[in-house]
Structures are given as structure tokens and as C-alpha cells.
Amino acid sequence: MTTPRHYITTTIPYVNARPHLGFALELVQADTLARHRRQRGDDVRLLSGTDDNSLKNVLAAEAAGVDVRTLVDRNADAFAALRDPLALSLDDFIRTSSDPRHRAGVERLWRRCAAAGDLYRKAYEGLYCVGCEQFYTPEELVDGRCAEHGTAPQRVAEENWFFRLSRYADRLRELTTGGALRIEPAARRNEVLALIDGGLHDFSVSRSHTRARGWGIPVPDDPDQVVYVWWDALGNYVTSLGYGTDDPAYERWWAAGDRRVHLVGKGVVRFHAVYWPAMLLSAGLPLPTDILVHDYLTVGGRKISKSGKGTTTVDPVALTAAYGTDPVRWWLLRDVPRVGDADFTEERLTARADADFAGGLGNLVHRIVTMVHRYRAGTVPALGTDRFAVTPLLDVCRAAPGRIDAALGDFDFRRAVDAAWAIVEEANRCIDATRPWELARAERQGNADAAERLDAVLAALVTACRVLGEELGPFVPGAAERIARQVTPVGGALPEAAPLFGRLQEQR
């Protein structure tokens, strides 16, 4: 039996500015899925990167008074540097402007689609949003402005290469409705189906060399044009695997992989669930198996972003420096819903961390370890036959892995965290119901049944802590490791009880 292979990717953001917390959400979600599948014994490859070949980056460099390469390198480095502050277990990181794997793969993809008869050149005039790097029809605008960025699009007229997207409408609908191309949540799947049913129009896949300021990958055999940034960027999912250079990683993770999973924000669903699968169909390549869509983070109701009208941003590096990695990851996974935007404040982050880490997990583990030292000199009793009212706790512990698997399979991080948190709640109920301190008092008075009952209770409570240390690993790896160390014997006894988490609101 072969080990399942999961290839998990994030989108690659433009590097016109430094990273913000909204993209950190996607990174943490992808990392959690990757850590979880590794924990379950699967082979996993986790990819992120940066989208360097964008007109947005060119314009940002001009506004900053620096050359494009300088700005792109500086901001791309900032995205790559998120690995440590967010505790990301990335296996690969691709930069589309400088990674030698990328251009070769984009050129091969282009030539495959051209050979299929799906690329043609024509003159075009339309309304172009630089923020989205996309043409819009007047009907798609809101009061004449891009709904995503709140800016009026530019009118652009030029001759470009076009891709025959219209040719693939029926096939895309069949794949989406049949589940071969899984899009979650259902509201986003319905959005994609509505786009298809509304009629798919061929789209421009190149830009003039002049308008692109010479930045980007030249169109094969047509150096007066550069490859459209979305065509370029979407290709990273296969170019990073060596598609175009005959690297065996492409066969292992894409062509013969079990799951090809893209995590994307709701603003780019069209590109990932319509354009990209159509490009792959044209090139004769396998499609992604899963497109998992998250909504936005907001501040005061305004979308967090790097640029655009009324820009609101939150620096994830500064946030982790102030409060720690695990509190930031925990808020993103516990408080952000599967469907709907989530409004962020530092007060909400610290309140959640204090309630759950210091007041919940930390308090529970400290109480249990303290009791093991007080009543059993630090030695954990064996987990024997249960007949002492600890069955509910052990049942919750046994059920947690399956409940977490099911929730993450549904791309529901909040429900997955709740499945782990049920252990905390049941452990506290167990302590309240069994009252170990009273059992210890009865034991000192010579009650053998109380002694046996206390052993069973302490063993079950430590078991619960160990399961928490294991199952919380994909979500908050640092916190999980601290829990695991606290309930792992050293020289036959648990380490002395020590506070695992401080209160963040006292640091504000």
C-alpha cells in the first residue's frame, strides 16, 4: 500500500508591498493542513512563494522611486521571512521573477496550449483594473469601480494573445458539479457555476512589452508581448515541481499525486477555479483536486490589504513579535469562520489567548501535573481498566482524532479546533465530578477503593493532556510542544508543574 501524497499550495501574492495578516491567514491554514497530514503519516509537500511579474509591482517601484528589481527583491524577502514568525513548515518557496524553474515551465505550458489551438492574437479594448490585473465588463463594476479595490479601471486598447476559455465551459461545469474539481465551501462552488453558466469569454493572456515596462516573461516567439501575470502566476503550481525541466518532482506530486490542494482567497476564485483548470485541460495536464476558499480579514469592517483605496493593513511579523506565534495562529484558526469575513483587533487576539491558553490549557495542565506530584510524587499511574467515571473523558480523547480529520477534510478549522477543545472541557468536567483532592483525603484515611479511583482519574487526566499535546501540534506547534514536555516523564516522573502561558493582556 502506497503512502498518500498531498501537494498543498498557497496563492502567491504580489510583492508591491510588504505582507499583511490577511495572507498570514492563508499561510497558517495551509501549514495546519500540511502538518496534520504529515502527522497522520502521509507524504506532504507545502509550497508558497511570490508573484513578482506584475504591473502592480512596476507601478509600486515607480512610485517609490526605485528600480523594479530592488522593490521586488526587498518585498519578496519579507514574504519569505514569514516562515519563522508564523512557524511555517514550508517545503518550497518560489519566486516567479528569479527562480530558474519558473520561466521554463511557463514557456512549456504556453506552447502546449498553443499546440492545442487555444491561443490566438487579436486587437482588444476594455476596462482594466491594475489592482486585480484583470479586464472587466461595465456590468461587473459597481458604480463604475472595481468591487475589490474601489478604483475606477483604466481603458486599455492593444493587441494581445487570447486563450479560448469558451471552449472549456461544458467540461469545467461537468468537473465542478461532479466533484472531480472540488471547491469548498459550497457558496464558492455555486459562484463558479454561476460564472460558467453566465458564459465564459476568451481572455487576454499577454500584455504589450511597452505597457508592461519590459517586466515579465516574454511570450514564446513573440518578444513584443509579455505573458499575462495571471497565466504566469498560476503556472507556479507546476513550475515549482520542475514542469518544463523534466524534474521527477512533477510526476511525483502533480501527475501521480493523490491530492493537489490550492488554498485561495475569495477574490481570486475565478482565476483558480475557472482559468487555471481550463489552461490545464488545454495543455493535457491533471487538474487540482481541491480548491479551498477562505474569506477576508477586516479591521473595522474594512478588508486588510497591501494597497488600494483606504488601505488597512496589519503586520503579522510585528504581531508575533508582540504576542508570540501561537496566539496569532490560534486566533486565526479558532476565531475566523469557515464562511464570512472576520474582524481583527489586538484586543480580540489577546482576550482569546488569555482565555484559552493561560486560563484554559495552561490552567488545566498545571492543575493536573500539580496533582500528580502532590498525590503520586510525580509518577503517572498506569491507565488500567476504567470503572471510575473517567469513561466520558477517555471517549472524547479517542474521538478527537477522527473529529479533527473530518473537520479539516471539510476545510473547517474552527470545527477542528473545537474537536480538540472538547478534551479540555471534558477534562475539567472530570476533575469537577471526581474531586481528586477528596479521593486523596480518603486514601490517607485508609480507603483502598479511593486510592485505586485516584490512580484511574490521574491516569485519564494525564492521557487527556498527552492527546492535547499531540492533536494541537498542527494548529499551535509551540504550545503543543510545551504541553507534551510537561506531561512526559523524565527519570520516571513528570517535570515539576510550571506556568505554560503568560497573560497577554498584562503585557499591553
Side-chain angles (χ1 to χ4, degrees):
M1 181 177 179
T2 59
T3 302
R5 292 195 292 269
H6 295 252
Y7 178 44
I8 301 172
T9 73
T10 72
T11 54
I12 54 172
Y14 299 129
V15 291
N16 56 311
R18 294 176 64 83
H20 60 68
L21 189 64
F23 184 58
L25 168 67
E26 185 171 303
L27 286 168
V28 169
Q29 289 179 336
D31 180 72
T32 299
L33 292 180
R35 287 176 180 272
H36 173 71
R37 292 320 316 169
R38 292 189 195 107
Q39 185 187 69
R40 296 299 190 250
D42 297 344
D43 287 340
V44 175
R45 185 181 180 96
L46 175 60
L47 169 73
S48 190
T50 55
D51 183 355
D52 301 353
N53 296 326
S54 165
L55 180 57
K56 289 180 70 168
N57 301 336
V58 174
L59 297 178
E62 291 178 354
V66 299
D67 66 87
V68 182
R69 172 57 64 191
T70 297
L71 178 129
V72 165
D73 287 348
R74 181 176 65 207
N75 288 337
D77 286 346
F79 279 91
L82 291 174
R83 181 190 298 261
D84 289 339
L86 295 175
L88 304 175
S89 59
L90 292 170
D91 297 293
D92 196 3
F93 189 94
I94 188 167
R95 288 192 50 197
T96 58
S97 69
S98 60
D99 195 308
R101 297 172 294 179
H102 187 63
R103 178 169 174 170
V106 168
E107 290 175 344
R108 175 178 284 190
L109 188 63
W110 183 280
R111 294 185 190 281
R112 289 286 292 264
C113 293
D118 286 331
L119 297 177
Y120 62 95
R121 187 163 176 164
K122 76 167 187 176
Y124 182 79
E125 181 175 350
L127 299 170
Y128 192 75
C129 173
V130 175
C132 295
E133 294 279 14
Q134 177 184 350
F135 282 103
Y136 284 105
T137 65
E139 294 75 23
E140 292 176 307
L141 302 175
V142 178
D143 297 327
R145 295 180 176 272
C146 166
E148 182 77 10
H149 294 92
T151 55
Q154 304 173 359
R155 181 161 290 279
V156 173
E158 61 185 21
E159 186 172 319
N160 299 143
W161 287 91
F162 276 69
F163 174 73
R164 297 186 194 277
L165 180 65
S166 55
R167 176 179 287 181
Y168 295 97
D170 291 344
R171 184 66 178 134
L172 288 172
R173 190 176 214 296
E174 176 186 344
L175 290 165
T176 303
T177 55
L181 179 58
R182 175 180 175 240
I183 303 169
E184 293 289 346
R188 299 303 168 198
R189 180 168 62 253
N190 293 336
E191 176 185 327
V192 169
L193 291 172
L195 281 171
I196 296 171
D197 292 343
L200 295 182
H201 303 288
D202 298 352
F203 69 98
S204 171
V205 292
S206 72
R207 301 291 182 261
S208 72
H209 184 274
T210 301
R211 190 157 71 88
R213 315 290 207 274
W215 185 256
I217 297 175
V219 168
D221 307 315
D222 189 354
D224 290 337
Q225 297 272 304
V226 299
V227 175
Y228 171 44
V229 64
W230 271 105
W231 179 287
D232 173 333
L234 289 165
N236 94 92
Y237 302 126
V238 294
T239 65
S240 63
L241 298 172
Y243 175 78
T245 63
D246 297 320
D247 189 320
Y250 169 77
E251 177 68 24
R252 174 174 174 78
W253 295 104
W254 192 269
D258 295 282
R259 309 302 299 182
R260 298 173 290 277
V261 182
H262 296 329
L263 274 73
V264 308
K266 66 180 179 181
V268 296
V269 172
R270 175 198 304 252
F271 302 102
H272 287 82
V274 179
Y275 290 10
W276 175 230
M279 291 162 57
L280 293 168
L281 288 171
S282 174
L285 305 182
L287 272 58
T289 58
D290 305 81
I291 298 174
L292 308 179
V293 187
H294 62 83
D295 287 355
Y296 290 148
L297 295 186
T298 61
V299 172
R302 300 175 70 93
K303 176 194 169 190
I304 295 177
S305 64
K306 299 192 303 295
S307 62
K309 185 177 179 180
T311 297
T312 299
T313 192
V314 177
D315 181 354
V317 175
L319 208 60
T320 57
Y323 302 116
T325 296
D326 286 323
V328 173
R329 286 180 64 113
W330 188 248
W331 186 87
L332 292 171
L333 297 168
R334 186 147 168 77
D335 279 25
V336 175
R338 182 170 184 259
V339 177
D341 296 343
D343 205 62
F344 171 80
T345 66
E346 291 187 29
E347 290 77 13
R348 287 176 181 145
L349 184 151
T350 56
R352 171 60 73 186
D354 285 350
D356 288 358
F357 283 176
L361 280 168
N363 183 58
L364 175 67
V365 175
H366 192 273
R367 289 178 74 191
I368 291 169
V369 173
T370 297
M371 287 190 292
V372 172
H373 275 277
R374 181 175 297 157
Y375 306 138
R376 293 296 180 264
T379 301
V380 182
L383 186 64
T385 303
D386 170 48
R387 57 185 182 87
F388 298 115
V390 294
T391 297
L393 175 57
L394 296 177
D395 284 347
V396 169
C397 290
R398 283 188 285 264
R403 292 180 60 201
I404 292 171
D405 289 352
L408 292 182
D410 289 340
F411 191 52
D412 193 334
F413 295 92
R414 180 183 276 182
R415 180 156 59 91
V417 170
D418 286 346
W421 199 253
I423 298 174
V424 177
E425 295 171 336
E426 190 59 43
N428 281 320
R429 280 193 288 270
C430 178
I431 293 172
D432 291 341
T434 61
R435 305 177 72 81
W437 50 94
E438 292 185 357
L439 294 175
R441 186 183 307 119
E443 179 187 27
R444 289 193 297 271
Q445 295 170 353
N447 188 324
D449 183 69
E452 189 177 357
R453 184 184 294 269
L454 181 57
D455 279 347
V457 170
L458 293 176
L461 289 171
V462 172
T463 296
C465 292
R466 289 173 177 166
V467 174
L468 282 168
E470 177 74 12
E471 295 301 324
L472 287 175
F475 305 95
V476 280
E481 184 180 352
R482 289 195 291 277
I483 293 169
R485 282 200 306 265
Q486 183 69 87
V487 292
T488 299
V490 177
L494 297 184
E496 290 288 341
L500 296 180
F501 311 103
R503 291 195 171 271
L504 298 185
Q505 290 185 330
E506 296 174 358
Q507 302 174 21
R508 288 179 57 82

